Amino acid sequence: MTTSPQAEQHDAPSLTEIETYGVERIPDADRTARPLDLFRVAFGGANTFATCVLGAFPILFGLSFWQGLAATGLGLAVGALILAPLALFGPLNGTSNSVSSSAHLGVHGRVVGSFLSLLTAIAFFSISVWSSGDALVGGAHRMFHLPTNDGVYALAYGLFAALVLTVCIYGFRFMLFVNKIAVAAASLLFVLGAFAFGGDFDAGYQGSFHSLSTPGFWPAFIGSALIVLSNPVSFGAFLGDWARYIPADTPRRRVMGAAFLSQVATILPFFFGLATASIIAAKAGNFLDPNAPDYVGGLLAISPSWYFLPVCLLALIGGMSTGTTSLYGTGLDFASVFPRFSRVQATVFIGVLSICFIFVGRFAANLTQSISTFATLIIVCTAPWMIIMTLGFLTRRGWYDPDSLQVFNRRQRGGRYWFTHGWNWRGMSAWLASALLAVQFVNLPGQFVGALGDLAGGVDISLPVGLGLAAVLYLALLWLFPEPRAVFGPEGPRLVRAVDTPVPPITAADGAVVTVPEPAEV
């Protein structure tokens, strides 16, 4: 009599049990998460004030409400489609996406994904703490006349940061619990906003462009769509951190569907930001000054007094949700680059470092505007990496060798993904060329404009350039310079060629050959 894989699974650990797994492959028996859990974490991390701020940009750019809604829908749909395939690596390999990238960038090249996710997480953790802290202090000031000095802001930032760090230390299960509550609570508070602002909302808000032929409309429309698209893209490096607890035999369509729908669902905070921004533009336009926009301040200015408490709750819940999803991945990726650190040690180290950055950046160096620009540049560099991962999955037919993926973490050498001294120059070249060119097309007036930023009439086309060039260049390099046949599964490559190049055996640091089992077929 055989036992089904589901019956052999262990019970999920308790919330108060600190997670011990790092980036090593999660044993099949300990994978008790479901695609619904992935949806909750990914949606919860975006169902926040930070997303509302992004939703306000179409109005800030001069679009009407309906034009802004169309740009938002376009950006969300395209971004979700780009993101969804990145959810497959976690269940398949039982590890983070940065570790899985070893298959396409090489054993050493996988550090690209680790550092991209590290920088993205620190940037979004900072933005989350700052925006949520400002909203909390502003709401408390309106309700209780709490002073708005640096000491009060510091207390709010410290509270958020300490709570987030505590959740991340406990690990995935505690983070999942927090997001289960956050998804329902934040969604309810956003829906409650319909009663708070329904009387002032005017779907006929015209904006600055009365027709599609009005000069400047298309740069504003495309720019708005790309800002929205950047939100799903920012999750690309983190999906494997959360999806690695999903069993490997889970249907792929369900895993991709959870990731896709988690971003489509963010239409709720995006719509909230878009609708309230149109009210702010009509009633308190000074808060949407393009040179110094203050969406949170404008929201508080137009809010009825009874909605101040929901604003504070949204700030608290949203800050916890976004902060935990960012910082958890940061600690995990730092531990993957420096395996001598445990996940908990790496999380504490990066958490303390991030908290110091938050306080210095806010009070000493005034980096609150600069960090948004920095986050945008990191996302522009991450998008080509995501395309390379997706196309790599396609050409490999979703077949990977989990033991060869762990060579870097075990301080070993060789294996299927060793390529050229641990680097796969095909993937590395495609990513580097695409990222560098994409950065040149960035156009953030007043913040950062690349050397080619004005080439498209003021439209920021950095993401389309990076995505398109990465796809064409990577496939061309794989065809012109085929990879070893051993990196492909039993069915061989798809769309590209392969060569019969010998693969070096996996050896330990002392040169001893390590015997590893053949990967099981999924």
Side-chain angles (χ1 to χ4, degrees), residues 87-369:
L88 297 175
F89 292 93
L92 189 60
N93 298 322
T95 188
S96 67
N97 280 1
S98 59
V99 173
S100 293
S101 71
S102 300
H104 308 298
L105 298 178
V107 169
H108 294 151
R110 49 67 54 95
V111 299
V112 170
S114 295
F115 279 107
L116 284 174
S117 61
L118 182 71
L119 296 174
T120 303
I122 292 177
F124 277 86
F125 178 50
S126 302
I127 292 172
S128 171
V129 171
W130 286 333
S131 61
S132 296
D134 290 350
L136 181 63
V137 172
H141 172 70
R142 296 292 297 272
M143 285 191 299
F144 309 114
H145 304 291
L146 189 74
T148 56
N149 52 48
D150 286 349
V152 175
Y153 280 110
L155 181 63
Y157 298 154
L159 172 65
F160 276 119
L163 290 174
V164 168
L165 182 57
T166 300
V167 173
C168 291
I169 289 173
Y170 277 101
F172 176 76
R173 299 295 168 189
F174 203 175
M175 182 178 70
L176 183 59
F177 172 74
V178 169
N179 276 275
K180 284 181 180 179
I181 299 174
V183 165
S187 298
L188 178 61
L189 292 170
F190 280 130
V191 171
L192 194 61
F195 298 95
F197 304 108
D200 296 322
F201 173 62
D202 179 13
Y205 173 76
Q206 289 298 311
S208 303
F209 307 103
H210 301 293
S211 70
L212 305 187
S213 59
T214 303
F217 168 78
W218 286 109
F221 182 87
I222 296 174
S224 298
L226 290 178
I227 285 178
V228 174
L229 184 150
S230 69
N231 200 55
V233 169
S234 69
F235 286 89
F238 302 131
L239 280 187
D241 301 344
W242 314 323
R244 63 200 176 110
Y245 278 98
I246 297 175
D249 59 357
T250 304
R252 291 177 179 177
R253 66 180 183 279
R254 292 185 58 201
V255 178
M256 289 182 62
F260 179 83
L261 292 176
S262 71
Q263 299 308 305
V264 172
T266 60
I267 189 65
L268 180 61
F270 272 113
F271 184 89
F272 183 91
L274 180 69
T276 52
S278 67
I279 301 173
I280 295 171
K283 299 184 65 176
N286 57 302
F287 286 99
L288 293 185
D289 181 356
N291 296 319
D294 182 10
Y295 168 77
V296 174
L299 181 66
L300 292 170
I302 65 169
S303 295
S305 58
W306 64 266
Y307 198 67
F308 293 154
L309 179 59
V311 167
C312 292
L313 292 176
L314 271 173
L316 181 61
I317 295 170
M320 285 286 293
S321 186
T322 301
T324 52
T325 52
S326 298
L327 191 59
Y328 176 79
T330 308
L332 197 62
D333 274 303
F334 188 81
S336 74
V337 176
F338 301 97
R340 293 181 181 179
F341 283 85
S342 68
R343 186 199 66 82
V344 174
Q345 291 172 330
T347 300
V348 172
F349 175 77
I350 292 297
V352 172
L353 190 65
S354 300
I355 292 171
C356 292
F357 174 80
I358 286 171
F359 278 86
V360 172
R362 172 62 171 81
F363 299 111
N366 194 23
L367 298 177
T368 49
Q369 288 289 99

Side-chain angles (χ1 to χ4, degrees), residues 58-95:
I59 302 298
L60 188 64
F61 286 173
L63 297 181
S64 70
F65 172 77
W66 290 110
Q67 292 166 349
L69 187 60
T72 299
L74 175 63
L76 270 183
V78 175
L81 287 172
I82 295 172
L83 176 70
L86 273 293
L88 297 175
F89 292 93
L92 189 60
N93 298 322
T95 188

Side-chain angles (χ1 to χ4, degrees), residues 373-392:
T373 305
F374 177 70
T376 300
L377 296 177
I378 292 299
I379 290 171
V380 167
C381 293
T382 302
W385 179 86
M386 294 171 63
I387 289 297
I388 290 170
M389 290 284 287
T390 300
L391 291 177

